[in-house]
Amino acid sequence: EIQTRGEILAFTARNIRAILPGSLVGICSYSPALRTLSFHCLEGTPEDLRVLNRELGHDPIGIALAFSAGPDMQTLLSARQIAAAPGTIGLFISPESRDICTRIGDRCNFGRSYVMGLPSPDGTIDSVLLQLKADTDLQKPEMIEALINQAGLALARVQQR
């Protein structure tokens, strides 16, 4: 039985990757007050994760990255359905890191990005970020949305305990 927030998020990311092989799936929280984005988990190909870690200089899990999201981006990060996101890997990392984002996107052959919010009662904006390869399209969006919504319900139950 899955019992912790971390287990629920990892389960969700793994299962989305099973639907979208080759994609990079990140689950993160955006804090409007601190203007930071913190990743709870990332699922991707081993090579994509190596490129990401090498270009960033560290594993991004648990580290608060500077991320100034304006009102439009905050709305996008909390979308109740999967929504197309601007750019590619730039969604995942601070706008101040555009060169790094471009290198990661080029080396990993990333294409379209998508995002969907997860309910969060603590004032942060929790989101599932999907980064697809350049030659792929979003598959089974309804199934992915159902998985994310179920994760939101499971997270609410864990918090109530």
Side-chain angles (χ1 to χ4, degrees):
E1 181 179 318
I2 297 175
Q3 297 193 13
T4 68
R5 176 179 171 80
E7 290 172 336
I8 293 166
L9 297 178
F11 175 86
T12 303
R14 275 193 311 275
N15 281 284
I16 292 171
R17 275 244 324 127
I19 298 167
L20 298 172
S23 64
L24 180 67
V25 178
I27 300 181
C28 64
S29 295
Y30 173 67
S31 171
L34 299 175
R35 300 172 81 102
T36 58
L37 189 74
S38 301
F39 280 93
H40 303 294
C41 62
L42 276 171
E43 289 285 332
T45 66
E47 181 56 29
D48 288 348
L49 294 173
R50 274 193 294 276
V51 168
L52 187 67
N53 291 343
R54 185 172 41 243
E55 289 296 331
L56 290 174
H58 54 78
D59 182 350
I61 302 299
I63 295 174
L65 302 168
F67 191 84
S68 300
D72 291 343
M73 183 59 78
Q74 288 185 37
T75 299
L76 185 63
L77 288 170
S78 57
R80 301 308 320 147
Q81 294 180 305
I82 293 175
T88 57
I89 192 68
L91 176 63
F92 288 91
I93 304 168
S94 162
E96 293 82 16
S97 305
R98 296 240 183 258
D99 290 341
I100 292 172
C101 296
T102 300
R103 284 195 311 270
I104 292 169
D106 290 346
R107 290 185 179 150
C108 295
N109 191 32
F110 287 142
R112 295 184 182 116
S113 296
Y114 296 88
V115 63
M116 182 172 163
L118 265 169
S120 177
D122 66 0
T124 61
I125 300 172
D126 291 341
S127 305
V128 177
L129 308 174
L130 311 171
Q131 181 64 67
L132 305 183
K133 293 293 186 176
D135 58 349
T136 61
D137 292 318
L138 182 64
Q139 301 294 315
K140 302 180 182 177
E142 298 85 6
M143 185 180 293
I144 295 168
E145 288 173 354
L147 191 67
I148 293 168
N149 286 326
Q150 287 299 315
L153 293 173
L155 291 169
R157 280 195 303 272
V158 165
Q159 184 164 356
Q160 289 175 352
R161 289 186 202 155

